[in-house]
């Protein structure tokens, strides 16, 4: 009976993922995957046994997408994480055209993967896909002992971005019963806090509009006559809720990674992302204790970088002119210096206009109330925000803040 029991257990475990020699990410392997994809969009590495039900489910999900889907399932290659991360891009170059190119790797009993999504020029679905991925927190509650749950969910995320529909509910069998789901006590407190802040902000804004509406209208008419172009004012109070939300979301992602660390299912690259995010979050929390729009903007930038670093693996520099704008994905020349800028500021600079920069309020009036001052970057100062351009000129804002 003991031998029979051992045989049954072995037969049950063996098809999930038997020991297979780790492959090399050689051109020959990539050519073999590409050749297989031209016949079957789901490639399984030789010797890696995946249950047929898992493969059928992946193929069904792949056929439901309007764009081609290619999936490769193989053991984790014996190469560094950077080369493994580049596999979808290298395979897309061999296949060409649009589509979703996915490489899912198994290490012991844990599956994880990367993808490359290529859409027709001018498509906006890529941005929607990025937003859907960020908002799909339940993705991290999926079991990773089988490839189908995470592979199918990634396909569903792309489908939702292309079709504009909502993500479907995940089957209960795909959820890890060991991971807590639903709103935690902290999440409920966060939600209550955000509702309270929203109500307070609405009342405050209404009173401010009633009080200053006429004066703002007169000022706007005067500015139009003089041809003056003003930036949308940024205040510490307006940034605080966004910063706190980013810190909270980044912390939840970090906690999921901590759980994976305990299970031993993270890569060295994910550990580096975690460490970098912890440093930025620590500096952001430090700045949240300070007053002033510069400290608030610095906390916002660091919290946003921590979140995108954990969720996307990319830490983008902020817009040099106004770090509260979108990330600086363009490069412009300003005062003989190349700086990153958002699209709005890039258009302004290219047109010869002054960009809508973050301004440092100065004391004015009988009671010393703040008013619009000069752009932050034009002020002679040795604070870390000016010296680094909030991280646009050098990516060491967090370290400078903590040293200070």
């Amino acid at each position: 009976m003991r031998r029979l029991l051992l045989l049954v257990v072995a037969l049950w475990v063996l098809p999930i993922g038997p020991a297979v020699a780790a492959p090399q990410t050689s051109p020959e392997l990539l050519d073999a995957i590409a050749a297989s994809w031209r016949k079957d969009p789901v490639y399984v590495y030789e010797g890696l046994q995946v249950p047929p039900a898992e493969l059928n489910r992946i193929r069904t999900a792949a056929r439901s997408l309007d764009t081609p889907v290619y999936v490769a399932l193989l053991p984790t290659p014996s190469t560094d994480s950077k080369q493994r991360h580049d596999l979808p891009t290298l395979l897309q170059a061999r296949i060409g055209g649009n589509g979703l190119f996915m490489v899912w790797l198994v290490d012991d009993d844990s599956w994880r993967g990367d993808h490359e999504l290529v859409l027709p020029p001018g498509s906006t679905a890529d941005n929607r896909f990025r937003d859907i991925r960020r908002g799909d927190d339940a993705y991290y509650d999926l079991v990773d002992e089988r490839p189908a749950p995470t592979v199918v969910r990634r396909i569903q995320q792309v489908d939702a971005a292309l079709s504009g529909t909502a993500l479907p509910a995940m089957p209960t069998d795909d959820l890890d019963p060991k991971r807590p789901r639903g709103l935690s006590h902290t999440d409920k407190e966060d939600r209550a806090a955000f509702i309270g802040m929203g109500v307070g902000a609405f009342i405050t804004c209404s009173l401010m509009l009633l009080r200053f509406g006429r004066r703002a209208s007169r000022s706007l008419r005067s500015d139009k006559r003089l041809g003056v172009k003003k930036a949308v004012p940024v205040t510490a109070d307006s940034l605080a809720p966004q910063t706190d939300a980013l810190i909270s979301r980044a912390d939840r992602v970090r906690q999921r990674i901590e759980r994976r660390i305990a299970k031993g299912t993270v890569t060295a690259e994910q550990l580096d992302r975690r460490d970098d995010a912890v440093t930025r979050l620590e500096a952001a929390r430090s700045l949240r204790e300070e007053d002033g729009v510069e400290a608030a903007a610095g906390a916002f930038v660091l919290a946003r970088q921590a979140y995108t670093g954990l969720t996307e693996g990319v830490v983008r520099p902020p817009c040099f002119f106004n770090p509260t704008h979108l990330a600086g994905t363009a490069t412009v020349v300003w005062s003989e210096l190349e700086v990153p800028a958002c699209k709005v500021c890039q258009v302004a600079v290219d047109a010869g206009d002054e960009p809508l920069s973050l301004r440092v309020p100065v004391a004015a009036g009988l009671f010393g109330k703040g008013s619009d001052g000069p752009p932050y970057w034009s002020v002679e100062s040795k604070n870390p925000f000016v010296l680094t351009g909030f991280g646009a000129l050098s990516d060491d804002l967090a370290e400078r803040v903590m040293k200070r």
Side-chain angles (χ1 to χ4, degrees), residues 296-310:
F300 172 79
V301 169
L302 292 170
R304 181 173 62 182
Q305 289 178 330
Y307 180 71
T308 59
L310 288 171

Side-chain angles (χ1 to χ4, degrees), residues 185-260:
H185 179 70
T186 302
D187 292 334
K188 293 177 180 178
E189 289 181 347
D190 290 344
R191 183 173 64 178
F194 289 143
I195 293 174
M197 286 187 294
V199 173
F202 175 77
I203 295 174
T204 303
C205 289
S206 299
L207 293 175
M208 291 177 64
L209 287 173
L210 289 174
R211 183 177 179 182
F212 300 112
R214 291 184 178 179
R215 185 168 62 183
S217 178
R218 289 195 299 268
S219 174
L220 180 60
R221 288 195 297 269
S222 174
D223 290 340
K224 286 182 177 179
R225 287 196 301 270
L226 297 174
V228 175
K229 192 174 186 180
K230 284 191 174 182
V232 177
V234 175
T235 65
D237 290 339
S238 67
L239 287 175
Q242 303 175 59
T243 302
D244 291 340
L246 285 168
I247 291 175
S248 178
R249 294 179 70 182
D251 262 335
R252 287 197 289 270
V253 179
R254 178 189 58 77
Q255 290 166 7
R256 296 189 195 103
I257 295 178
E258 298 289 352
R259 292 197 293 268
R260 287 177 173 268

Side-chain angles (χ1 to χ4, degrees), residues 95-113:
I95 296 293
N98 303 321
L100 175 61
F101 302 83
M102 309 172 68
V103 176
W104 244 243
L105 309 175
V106 62
D107 189 357
D108 295 330
D109 61 346
S110 177
W111 288 87
R112 61 183 181 276

Side-chain angles (χ1 to χ4, degrees), residues 245-301:
L246 285 168
I247 291 175
S248 178
R249 294 179 70 182
D251 262 335
R252 287 197 289 270
V253 179
R254 178 189 58 77
Q255 290 166 7
R256 296 189 195 103
I257 295 178
E258 298 289 352
R259 292 197 293 268
R260 287 177 173 268
I261 292 174
K263 294 175 62 177
T265 58
V266 295
T267 64
E269 182 181 3
Q270 289 173 321
L271 288 174
D272 291 341
R273 294 181 194 171
R274 189 279 310 267
D275 294 342
D276 180 76
V278 167
T279 301
R280 296 179 193 273
L281 289 174
E282 186 179 2
R285 289 191 177 95
S286 174
L287 291 175
R288 283 289 288 114
E289 302 298 323
E290 300 184 18
D291 297 326
V293 67
E294 288 180 300
F300 172 79
V301 169

Side-chain angles (χ1 to χ4, degrees), residues 27-96:
E28 291 76 17
L29 174 63
L30 299 177
D31 291 339
I33 296 175
S36 176
W37 272 354
R38 294 185 177 94
K39 302 175 183 177
D40 183 351
V42 178
Y43 168 86
V44 181
Y45 187 75
E46 183 180 1
L48 183 63
Q49 297 186 24
V50 181
E54 293 282 293
L55 297 177
N56 292 335
R57 186 179 172 193
I58 293 173
R59 289 190 175 96
T60 300
R63 286 194 294 267
S64 68
L65 207 60
D66 291 336
T67 191
V69 177
Y70 303 93
V71 182
L73 306 176
L74 58 153
T76 301
S78 57
T79 52
D80 60 60
S81 59
K82 176 65 170 62
Q83 289 178 309
R84 295 196 294 266
H85 184 72
D86 290 339
L87 285 175
T89 303
L90 296 173
L91 288 168
Q92 188 277 333
R94 283 167 165 76
I95 296 293

